[in-house]
Amino acid sequence: MKILIATDKPFAKVAVDGIRKEIEAAGYELALLEKYTEKAQLLDAVKDVNAIIIRSDIIDAEVLDAAKELKIVVRAGAGYDNVDLEAATAHGVCVMNTPGQNSNAVAELALGMMVYAVRNFYNGTSGTELMGKKLGIHAYGNVGRNVARVAKGFGMEVYAYDAFCPKDVIEKDGVKALDSAEELYKTCQVVSLHIPATAETKNSINYALLKDMPKGAMLVNTARKEVINEAELIKLMEERADFKYLTDIMPAANAEFAEKFAGRYFSTPKKMGAQTAEANINAGIAAAKQIVGFLKDGCEKFRVNK
Ligand code: 3PG
């Protein structure tokens, strides 16, 4: 069996070494395609492989057509909006993710961005503190839970809204559960986004939702750029000089944001919430183990295209 790691944004070397150990211990062969620049390189690399480990790499019908021997794709991470699930099912390919494995890394980056923003992007002027500020966590999954844990350490007052998570589950963590996204954005000066990109959530973070955020509002997006209605966020930030936006997923309109909102807009050049050695090791090795479990024992835990 041949397993391919296909990562446009590579794992830390220590994670690749760990994955290799798991794969070779199972008697399989590991191939590596990193930092590829053309889709053709991916199409060529998948030709003879039985399993693929990816990150935000796109697995669409064309890739699946090229991968004639493919049995399983594991997205080493949480969001799998980069995989065409219907096409995978049609090709008889199992798709899994590795939930929770990189969530602390993403949570730490979200809090880091909040500190950066309240300290005026470290420009030397007098800023404010996170302690006592109301933080709204939009979607209370693995990342949201970790954000709550770290934010409580900062002394923030933590609120959450999740359409799918029962309120008592949220409140067990000492977090105030709210009934709607509207209530969350009205209540909290800082909102951290953790919703997946789905047909329902795309463009859902819009002017109507953001306009009622309290004075000195800050939106932190370590989720997906697609959930933001960029044109409406720009309109809002033009109207509200107190509004800050920080993200690790560069908006399509990055140049416009950067030009218009200097000092209250920040984006990393690449998505980097999960870019830590620890997260790479956790998610990468979990992916390798899930592949071995699937190929050897037919284990389908974490399958997302049921
Ligand atoms: C995820 O969905 O797990 C995160 O967005 C991390 O994505 P990445 O592996 O592309 O950094």
Side-chain angles (χ1 to χ4, degrees):
M1 293 280 177
K2 187 169 172 185
I3 319 302
L4 173 72
I5 298 177
T7 47
D8 155 48
K9 187 176 61 189
F11 291 122
K13 184 182 177 303
V14 63
V16 175
D17 293 345
I19 295 169
R20 185 180 300 283
K21 223 169 126 195
E22 293 292 333
I23 297 299
E24 291 180 354
Y28 301 156
E29 180 193 344
L30 186 74
L32 195 56
L33 174 70
E34 290 181 327
K35 290 189 191 171
Y36 54 94
T37 48
E38 306 292 332
K39 188 174 186 185
Q41 293 170 271
L42 179 61
L43 295 175
D44 187 52
V46 300
K47 270 192 320 221
D48 59 346
V49 304
N50 308 104
I52 312 177
I53 297 173
I54 52 161
R55 295 186 64 177
S56 292
D57 307 80
I58 308 290
I59 301 294
D60 59 14
E62 194 184 1
V63 177
L64 292 159
D65 280 341
K68 299 273 182 262
E69 309 299 323
L70 189 62
K71 296 179 175 8
I72 177 167
V73 174
V74 181
R75 193 278 191 247
Y80 44 85
D81 47 304
N82 48 321
V83 182
D84 184 335
L85 296 187
E86 267 181 37
T89 303
H91 284 76
V93 171
C94 172
V95 182
M96 295 183 185
N97 66 349
T98 65
Q101 300 291 350
N102 58 18
S103 49
N104 181 63
V106 180
E108 287 189 10
L109 184 77
L111 266 294
M113 285 183 162
M114 289 173 211
V115 175
Y116 186 51
V118 293
R119 293 305 186 97
N120 301 334
F121 294 24
Y122 302 152
N123 70 0
T125 62
S126 188
T128 62
E129 300 180 18
L130 291 179
M131 182 179 275
K133 285 199 167 59
K134 290 182 176 160
L135 168 66
I137 300 177
H138 192 168
Y140 203 69
N142 289 306
V143 181
R145 251 184 284 278
N146 275 284
V147 169
R149 175 180 55 76
V150 183
K152 280 192 284 170
F154 274 91
M156 298 185 86
E157 210 180 303
V158 186
Y159 296 77
Y161 168 68
D162 189 314
F164 304 99
C165 181
K167 283 173 87 175
D168 60 319
V169 171
I170 296 175
E171 299 208 323
K172 265 192 208 119
D173 290 348
V175 171
K176 294 179 191 92
L178 298 180
D179 290 314
S180 66
E182 286 73 18
E183 201 186 347
L184 189 81
Y185 285 75
K186 268 190 191 127
T187 306
C188 300
Q189 186 179 3
V190 183
V191 171
S192 192
L193 270 174
H194 302 292
I195 51 176
T198 64
E200 292 75 38
T201 65
K202 281 183 186 161
N203 284 314
S204 66
I205 308 304
N206 56 20
Y207 185 88
L209 199 56
L210 298 170
K211 74 176 189 336
D212 293 329
M213 283 182 75
K215 193 165 165 29
M218 180 198 313
L219 179 67
V220 176
N221 179 12
T222 54
R224 289 290 181 271
K225 73 172 179 207
E226 292 82 1
V227 302
I228 302 284
N229 184 321
E230 289 186 13
E232 294 192 13
L233 175 57
I234 288 171
K235 172 176 148 66
L236 179 85
M237 289 180 74
E238 282 170 346
E239 288 174 14
R240 281 188 58 173
D242 65 314
F243 197 104
K244 293 182 173 135
Y245 180 53
L246 293 97
T247 183
D248 77 322
I249 319 108
M250 191 176 275
N254 174 57
E256 190 176 351
F257 275 97
E259 191 199 316
K260 290 187 167 159
F261 310 122
R264 55 195 181 95
Y265 164 72
F266 173 78
S267 172
T268 56
K270 273 199 171 197
K271 180 147 71 102
M272 58 169 291
Q275 275 298 58
T276 66
E278 293 90 336
N280 291 173
I281 291 167
N282 292 344
I285 292 180
K289 286 190 170 159
Q290 287 171 216
I291 285 172
V292 173
F294 177 79
L295 293 177
K296 287 209 186 286
D297 305 319
C299 176
E300 296 199 355
K301 193 170 172 193
F302 304 119
R303 182 172 186 144
V304 293
N305 63 334
K306 298 241 171 7

